[in-house]
Amino acid sequence: MLTILLLASAPIAVAVIVAIGIRLINLPPLPRLGAPASWLTVAAGGVPAVAMAALVWLPFAIPPLGFFDLDVRAMAPLLLGIAAVVLLAVPPASRRRGAVAQISRRTVMSFVSPRWIITALAVTAIITILSVAAGNASTLDEQGRFTTYTISIGTTGTEMGTGIYGWQYSVPALTGVVALLVVTAGAWALIPRPAWGEDPQQDAATRRLRAANIGRAACGALLIHLSVVLRSLGGTASLLGSTTTTELGAVSVTPPFAALGPTLDWCGVLALVAGLTMWIVIALTAIPSPARQPAPLTASAS
């Protein structure tokens, strides 16, 4: 039991450690946010991360609870990501002491790094390809839902089936992916709209941070959803069917992609770690960088 809990906790622990390392080492100096914006940032990153970690960890900690249904596990990160983006879209309070003309252009790409757009679209493309492939491979179950994957065994028409990430799960999830992308694009579009604050340089740094956090929230949600898809397909790949035939004796059959099972599982774990890391980093960005102290003046001999 202890070993299982440790294995289930490992991705969460790694995500926390990596996120702290990114915050301390790789991130540039961060602006100081006001109290309301800081709390919204912590909530936007911390609440989804804790909720998703609980969704992953609780079935191992409390076995009678059982694993959550695949549709819940697939939709949860997308809904949490949408909520995080909405929180991050709330502009911080800006105080202006007077009317100051600012001729600097404010466009979306002035604050949004292209890498977040490219990452979100790339992960979305992978999710779409896997979802369509799994949906096409799914067949109807006893309740008339596309949730089953079957393989034929021998020449007698015997079939063995298992669950798969079929159309029953992938169609609602793809709708959630589209909704997440639309909300993310809308949140980015709102960033340049408010007028500059009394300190345009500080204001610009805050807007860039918000844009980056919105990208982290969306990409983190997409990566965790991708993790669910990959690990589900990894479970499907482990299907092994066997029967006895008069011509060949005992016959064992596996899915055509059975060899990819371990790879799918490991890629799913890595995607989970990457997604949780992005969400935790959002919460940590609410902690401003320490102010740099000016270098002490030294008297020179005349």
Side-chain angles (χ1 to χ4, degrees), residues 163-192:
I164 191 173
Y165 186 74
W167 294 123
Q168 175 70 21
Y169 309 114
S170 59
V171 170
L174 288 175
T175 304
V177 169
V178 173
L180 173 63
L181 294 178
V182 170
V183 172
T184 301
W188 275 333
L190 291 175
I191 289 179

Side-chain angles (χ1 to χ4, degrees), residues 34 52 58 115 133 136 163 172 199 210 238 268 298-299:
M52 202 64 222
L58 282 178
R115 65 176 180 175
N136 288 333
D199 185 349
R210 288 175 55 214
S238 65
T298 56

Side-chain angles (χ1 to χ4, degrees), residues 16-298:
V16 172
I17 294 171
V18 173
I20 294 175
I22 291 174
R23 173 63 184 88
L24 295 178
I25 299 173
N26 287 341
L27 288 185
L30 301 178
R32 182 178 297 276
L33 302 175
S38 295
W39 284 111
L40 286 175
T41 302
V42 171
V47 173
V50 171
M52 202 64 222
L55 198 66
V56 172
W57 186 75
L58 282 178
F60 296 96
I62 311 176
L65 183 63
F67 286 94
F68 295 93
D69 292 338
L70 183 55
D71 53 354
V72 174
R73 288 182 281 132
M75 287 298 298
L78 300 175
L79 296 177
L80 290 170
I82 291 173
V85 170
V86 170
L87 290 177
L88 293 168
V90 177
S94 177
R95 294 180 301 174
R96 294 178 61 86
R97 289 180 296 186
V100 180
Q102 294 291 340
I103 61 175
S104 302
R105 292 188 61 192
R106 299 191 306 273
T107 65
V108 173
M109 298 311 298
S110 299
F111 307 105
V112 179
S113 173
R115 65 176 180 175
W116 293 117
I117 300 175
I118 295 172
T119 301
L121 293 179
V123 178
T124 299
I126 296 173
I127 291 172
T128 303
I129 292 171
L130 292 176
S131 299
V132 172
N136 288 333
S138 64
T139 58
L140 292 172
D141 60 12
E142 296 178 352
Q143 298 175 338
R145 306 178 305 166
F146 284 92
T147 63
T148 304
Y149 177 77
T150 59
I151 55 176
S152 298
I153 306 174
T155 59
T156 60
T158 303
E159 291 184 337
M160 178 169 285
T162 187
I164 191 173
Y165 186 74
W167 294 123
Q168 175 70 21
Y169 309 114
S170 59
V171 170
L174 288 175
T175 304
V177 169
V178 173
L180 173 63
L181 294 178
V182 170
V183 172
T184 301
W188 275 333
L190 291 175
I191 289 179
R193 294 185 63 84
W196 290 112
E198 60 184 18
D199 185 349
Q201 186 175 1
Q202 170 77 8
D203 194 352
T206 301
R207 297 186 197 216
R208 285 193 293 269
L209 176 59
R210 288 175 55 214
N213 280 340
I214 289 171
R216 292 186 183 101
C219 291
L222 292 171
L223 283 168
I224 296 176
H225 173 70
L226 176 60
S227 169
V228 175
V229 177
L230 289 171
R231 300 186 79 174
S232 175
L233 294 177
T236 302
S238 65
L239 173 64
L240 175 63
S242 61
T243 188
T244 302
T245 64
T246 56
E247 301 90 352
L248 301 175
V251 176
S252 297
V253 180
T254 59
F257 56 97
L260 295 176
T263 302
L264 293 171
D265 283 331
W266 277 108
C267 288
V269 173
L270 292 176
L272 173 62
V273 171
L276 287 176
T277 298
M278 289 188 179
W279 282 353
I280 297 170
V281 167
I282 293 173
L284 295 178
T285 59
I287 305 173
S289 301
R292 295 183 178 179
Q293 299 294 330
L297 299 177
T298 56

